[in-house]
Amino acid sequence: MLAANALADRLGVTTPVLLVIEERVRANIARMAAKAAAAGVRLRPHAKTHQSLTVARWCREAGVDSLTVSSLGMAAAFAADGWNDITVAVPFSPREAGAVRELAGRMRLGLLADHPAVAAAAADCGARVWLKIDVGYGRAGVRWDDAPALTALALAVPSPGPAGILTHAGQSYAARGRAEVLAVHAAQSARMAAAHDTVAAALGRPVFVSIGDTPTCRTADAFPGIDELRPGNFVYYDRMQFAAGICGESELAAFVLCPVVGVHDGGRRLVLHAGAVHLSKERDGAGYGCLVEWDDPAPGRLRPDLPLVSLSQELAVVADGDGGTCLRPGDAVLVAPVHSCLAADLLPGGVTSTGRRLASAGLR
Amino acid sequence: MLAANALADRLGVTTPVLLVIEERVRANIARMAAKAAAAGVRLRPHAKTHQSLTVARWCREAGVDSLTVSSLGMAAAFAADGWNDITVAVPFSPREAGAVRELAGRMRLGLLADHPAVAAAAADCGARVWLKIDVGYGRAGVRWDDAPALTALALAVPSPGPAGILTHAGQSYAARGRAEVLAVHAAQSARMAAAHDTVAAALGRPVFVSIGDTPTCRTADAFPGIDELRPGNFVYYDRMQFAAGICGESELAAFVLCPVVGVHDGGRRLVLHAGAVHLSKERDGAGYGCLVEWDDPAPGRLRPDLPLVSLSQELAVVADGDGGTCLRPGDAVLVAPVHSCLAADLLPGGVTSTGRRLASAGLR
């Protein structure tokens, strides 16, 4: 059913919260860990999706011993919780040299570089330097086929040289369905192999190869030439991944539980206390997310027929074509966010359906 | 010039921060306060834009003695800083009755209602109840011309009855230029007058009338029939307001100061450490914001020719058609955000160009 009032009452929910389905998160982690183990590659999951000490501990319980993060603040927060092998998977920012020196002195800290001077500066701070490769996404990184630039970058890292080469094939998020995702995977595998050969020739030794987007890691079964996977979104997935055919409905593991604060136009327009400051303004073709049924003790069907059609700072409008929901102000409902990473960033921590509060890394 | 390195060095900026231009904020506040005083209406500025104790104090220094906020958490934070007349301008959420009771017992707390049962519940918690009117935005509120529903809502509030009627003509944000905004203002004025007459007839007395969007409050010079203005965005304005012709370039008062972390494709593609978790995914036709020059000690020209064309969780890509910026990794630049309210929510506090840290209300 749509109204999740008993759940909201049990959890004491008065304002929007991130509802995390623990069994689904653990199953998502176990599935990815098993795949990595079967393929003989390291799983270094990206913690930016959840920013949660609790979810990272669930990863550790599944055998994970290294993390990826997207800021030095996150690296410090997870290091304080016992993680000592962390890659910060954004290009090293020279203005953060001081913080890097402090952290690199007490843990195995990896940084990314795509510019020779930046690579040298990162190494000078005591970090392990990964060479960031652009396999077609066109954001950061040196192109896989730019051999002179790759060679210069590899040689800019002082002894013992780079930790490896690393990419994020972000173009996989625009792929639809298994075949398109596998085509991205084939291209990134071939391009990383080419980049590897260039770097290996420059250094006179092979290097470690790391890839890291959820669509290809979830969809592919084989990872020849790859040594490490860094998916992040797979712990929660979201409406975007579901719509793209990457995950099943029963793998969706994070929702926003929020109050209904208005019912208008004969029930055809519902107003939720859930806005851009809770869900983010990430949207897909259908809107800013949709309602989800709650069949205690688990989420039920997604309701794409009840989309969030507009979103202001604190409020969402849900369109109900036939006004049949019978919801009232004071009810609580579940929303499937379009992009779970951004909703989790905005609603730090979260709570499981049994009332367990997740420990946030504390960045917000 | 584009590189704001000396500013970033002086402020010790290593990660994205909200840069607030104090003189501009104070001028924006003074201009709106003078307009309200000349029109004989109360100014109850909306603090959700800045969520800053410091900026609220600047409002107080300009003669403001009441605030609007968008959550009970904000109301509590500003109450703790000495504000004792606050309207929470979102529909009262019955699940927050406990928090309302606690707050209403020690201050003048206004709440909104657009449903008779909700209005009665809000009054029962000790709050002053504003009747929320929909003057055409189509989000929350009772339509201005639905006399039976307005009458029922007005009569649902026990003695001494409603505090007044209140609207947010959010459609003004889609208006372009002075004439279109003034047309929205004329429509909202006429519709609020009609709603007022219906409610006054039901109660046998006139009621207070409150309006509150920045475009009409900034653009209109006369407010006949209006008793209160609740603009919020006017303290900072942003690229959206500037593009719509609401404010001048020299009124833009909040920017995001952030590091450059990549320069690619011969300088035609810049990568900034500034992503969806700093700027929000609010976009306009040109992208997620644009670069701004820094002419110490003040911001210089907006550079719409240097737009943020894509945005991921932590990184932005700036397109530079001719690769002429000569920026390098380690430089710092200013971004004009599309929507300052969301950027300020994501980057709490902020810092002035002279290094004064703004006190956040502490919600993030």
Side-chain angles (χ1 to χ4, degrees):
Chain A
M1 57 187 288
L2 272 172
N5 295 349
L7 174 68
D9 292 346
R10 191 166 79 224
L11 301 180
V13 167
T14 60
T15 56
V17 297
L18 191 77
L19 181 76
V20 174
I21 312 300
E22 179 173 349
E23 313 80 65
R24 292 188 178 186
V25 176
R26 289 186 180 271
N28 291 342
I29 294 168
R31 196 178 300 113
M32 193 64 78
K35 175 185 283 199
V41 300
R42 167 185 287 267
L43 176 61
R44 183 189 287 277
H46 206 318
K48 76 173 182 180
T49 298
H50 53 79
Q51 297 184 44
S52 162
L53 303 180
T54 305
V55 175
R57 289 175 201 148
W58 295 346
C59 290
R60 188 186 277 146
E61 290 169 28
V64 169
D65 62 4
S66 60
L67 290 182
T68 308
V69 300
S70 57
S71 71
L72 287 170
M74 274 186 225
F78 286 105
D81 203 46
W83 295 89
N84 54 22
D85 183 357
I86 299 180
T87 299
V88 184
V90 290
F92 168 55
S93 176
R95 290 188 169 267
E96 296 193 282
V100 168
R101 274 203 185 83
E102 197 279 314
L103 269 176
R106 54 190 171 91
M107 63 182 298
R108 189 178 171 94
L109 183 71
L111 297 179
L112 272 53
D114 56 19
H115 184 285
V118 172
D124 186 55
C125 294
R128 306 175 76 237
V129 180
W130 289 86
L131 311 184
K132 168 82 167 175
I133 311 296
D134 179 2
V135 292
Y137 185 32
R139 186 180 60 178
V142 173
R143 276 176 62 96
W144 78 93
D145 55 358
D146 188 346
L150 269 179
T151 300
L153 183 62
L155 297 177
V157 184
S159 176
I165 63 174
L166 176 153
T167 197
H168 172 67
Q171 65 267 41
S172 67
Y173 286 87
R176 290 291 171 274
R178 183 173 173 83
E180 284 186 33
V181 172
L182 291 180
V184 171
H185 183 56
Q188 84 166 336
S189 299
R191 291 169 179 182
M192 286 301 271
H196 176 272
D197 291 350
T198 299
V199 171
L203 298 174
R205 63 168 171 90
V207 290
F208 210 71
V209 178
S210 175
I211 67 169
D213 60 296
T214 282
T216 66
C217 292
R218 172 70 177 84
T219 306
D221 292 314
F223 302 91
I226 307 296
D227 301 297
E228 178 179 275
L229 307 182
R230 307 183 326 278
N233 184 270
F234 76 99
V235 295
Y236 290 161
Y237 294 112
D238 51 33
R239 205 179 127 84
M240 199 189 294
Q241 293 299 296
F242 177 62
I246 306 302
C247 68
E249 197 164 320
S250 64
E251 292 168 82
L252 296 174
F255 303 89
V256 176
L257 178 59
C258 59
V260 176
V261 295
V263 178
H264 301 276
D265 195 19
R268 287 181 289 275
R269 173 163 41 97
L270 311 173
V271 178
L272 309 183
H273 182 193
V277 298
H278 311 107
L279 291 165
S280 89
K281 291 215 75 162
E282 191 87 71
R283 60 171 296 157
D284 57 21
Y288 300 94
C290 69
L291 296 192
V292 183
E293 298 191 348
W294 177 252
D295 296 331
D296 201 47
R301 288 187 305 146
L302 285 197
R303 292 292 299 269
D305 57 320
L306 296 170
L308 277 61
V309 292
S310 73
L311 200 70
S312 46
Q313 190 161 338
E314 303 81 14
L315 301 177
V317 172
V318 175
D320 176 14
D322 62 6
T325 64
C326 299
L327 290 166
R328 300 193 313 174
D331 285 342
V333 290
L334 254 64
V335 170
V338 172
H339 190 170
S340 60
C341 305
L342 297 186
D345 177 70
L346 290 163
L347 297 170
V351 61
T352 71
S353 52
T354 57
R356 177 173 177 183
R357 300 271 156 193
L358 275 65
S360 163
L363 301 176
R364 289 209 187 281
Chain B
M1 56 188 290
L2 272 172
N5 295 349
L7 174 68
D9 292 346
R10 193 166 76 225
L11 301 180
V13 166
T14 59
T15 56
V17 297
L18 190 77
L19 180 76
V20 174
I21 312 300
E22 179 173 347
E23 314 78 66
R24 293 187 178 186
V25 176
R26 288 187 181 271
N28 290 342
I29 294 168
R31 195 179 299 113
M32 193 65 80
K35 175 185 281 198
V41 300
R42 168 185 287 269
L43 176 60
R44 183 189 287 277
H46 206 317
K48 78 173 181 179
T49 298
H50 53 79
Q51 298 184 44
S52 162
L53 303 180
T54 305
V55 175
R57 289 173 202 150
W58 295 347
C59 290
R60 188 187 278 147
E61 289 169 27
V64 169
D65 62 3
S66 60
L67 289 181
T68 309
V69 299
S70 58
S71 71
L72 287 170
M74 274 186 226
F78 286 104
D81 203 46
W83 295 89
N84 54 24
D85 183 356
I86 299 180
T87 300
V88 184
V90 289
F92 169 56
S93 177
R95 290 189 169 265
E96 296 193 282
V100 168
R101 272 202 186 85
E102 196 280 315
L103 269 176
R106 53 191 173 91
M107 64 181 296
R108 190 176 169 96
L109 183 72
L111 297 180
L112 272 52
D114 56 17
H115 184 287
V118 172
D124 186 55
C125 295
R128 306 175 75 236
V129 180
W130 290 85
L131 312 184
K132 168 82 168 176
I133 311 296
D134 178 1
V135 293
Y137 185 33
R139 186 180 60 181
V142 173
R143 274 176 63 98
W144 79 93
D145 56 356
D146 188 345
L150 269 180
T151 300
L153 182 62
L155 296 176
V157 184
S159 177
I165 62 174
L166 177 153
T167 196
H168 173 66
Q171 66 267 41
S172 68
Y173 286 87
R176 287 294 170 274
R178 183 174 172 81
E180 284 186 33
V181 173
L182 290 179
V184 171
H185 182 56
Q188 86 166 335
S189 300
R191 290 169 180 181
M192 286 301 273
H196 175 272
D197 291 350
T198 299
V199 170
L203 298 174
R205 64 168 172 88
V207 290
F208 210 72
V209 178
S210 176
I211 66 169
D213 60 297
T214 282
T216 67
C217 293
R218 172 69 177 84
T219 306
D221 292 315
F223 301 92
I226 307 296
D227 301 296
E228 179 178 275
L229 307 182
R230 307 183 326 280
N233 184 271
F234 76 99
V235 296
Y236 290 159
Y237 294 111
D238 51 33
R239 207 179 125 84
M240 198 189 293
Q241 293 299 296
F242 177 62
I246 306 303
C247 69
E249 197 164 319
S250 65
E251 293 168 80
L252 296 173
F255 302 89
V256 175
L257 179 58
C258 59
V260 176
V261 295
V263 178
H264 301 275
D265 197 17
R268 288 181 288 277
R269 173 163 40 98
L270 311 172
V271 178
L272 309 183
H273 183 193
V277 299
H278 311 106
L279 291 165
S280 90
K281 290 215 75 162
E282 192 88 71
R283 61 170 297 156
D284 58 21
Y288 300 94
C290 70
L291 296 193
V292 184
E293 298 191 348
W294 177 251
D295 296 331
D296 200 46
R301 288 186 305 147
L302 285 196
R303 293 292 300 269
D305 57 319
L306 296 170
L308 277 61
V309 292
S310 73
L311 200 70
S312 46
Q313 191 162 338
E314 303 81 12
L315 301 176
V317 172
V318 175
D320 175 15
D322 62 7
T325 64
C326 299
L327 289 166
R328 300 194 312 174
D331 285 342
V333 291
L334 256 64
V335 170
V338 172
H339 189 170
S340 61
C341 305
L342 297 187
D345 178 69
L346 290 163
L347 297 169
V351 61
T352 71
S353 50
T354 57
R356 177 173 178 182
R357 299 271 156 194
L358 275 65
S360 162
L363 301 175
R364 290 213 184 281

